[in-house]
Amino acid sequence: MADPPRRRMVRAPTGGTEEGRGKPARLKTAKMRTPSSQAWLSRQINDPWSAKARAHGYRSRAAYKLTDIADRFGLLRPGQRVIDLGAAPGGWTQVAIERGVTKIVGVDLLPVEPLPPAILLQMDFTDPACGDLLVAQLGGAPDLVISDMAPNTVGHRRTDHLRIVGLIDAAVDFAESVLTPGGAFVAKAFQGGEISEVITRLKRSFAQVRNVKPPASRADSSETYLVATGFRGRPTGGLAPGGH
């Protein structure tokens, strides 16, 4: 009997987010906008990190989150193989290329404008075929897996948090199945009880695990990043390599 279809945890985003996945907004008029919408647009326009990203040519303010993490933990070096999960609009891939990475494959549900020499796939990461395709396109096992993925929210805090954790778990499964020994993993997370369980899990397969909040991440956001370095291999009893 065939296994039931795997339920996908992500779908195409329906709007912009504060992480800069959409294009910069210009608040020309408040007509037909709710107060909360006006506040959000004004914050986007006046945000110094967004302005800095536009001036530098980065596609999103999130680029500065990765530059901070890379500087602090010695990530992104020439010669590395890198996989970028949730790549759109391309800010993290830009940073990797800027740091000398020439072998990088990114994936997102949204199309990403070309960023040579990166290979960019428009695909659902939770599709069972995606993981093998990413590694094949990369030409070998990655030294670093970075993930800025986040699922669409439905407005119910508990449900949204569980969906976020489920997506992180999928990214961890993938990283543990493909990383080279000594490799590293970076993933967006949000503060909450289940995140401690993810950290405990990562500590079983990585030498060091940190929970960091880069300066470019808004202070009023629960967003945080998990940085795991020194990959030791998937713990005994885990899935076989290639399964996620």
Side-chain angles (χ1 to χ4, degrees), residues 175-188:
E176 288 183 338
S177 69
V178 300
L179 275 173
T180 57
F185 173 67
V186 177
K188 189 210 308 260

Side-chain angles (χ1 to χ4, degrees), residues 9 149-170 188-199 211 222-224 226:
M9 291 177 285
M149 294 190 297
N152 280 349
T153 58
V154 297
H156 183 272
R157 178 173 294 185
R158 178 65 177 172
T159 300
D160 289 339
H161 187 68
L162 290 175
R163 292 178 68 183
I164 290 166
V165 173
L167 197 55
I168 295 171
D169 276 336
K188 189 210 308 260
F190 292 87
Q191 295 173 357
E194 287 79 7
I195 294 303
S196 63
E197 297 176 11
V198 177
I199 293 174
N211 189 351
S222 62
E223 175 187 83
T224 185
L226 303 179

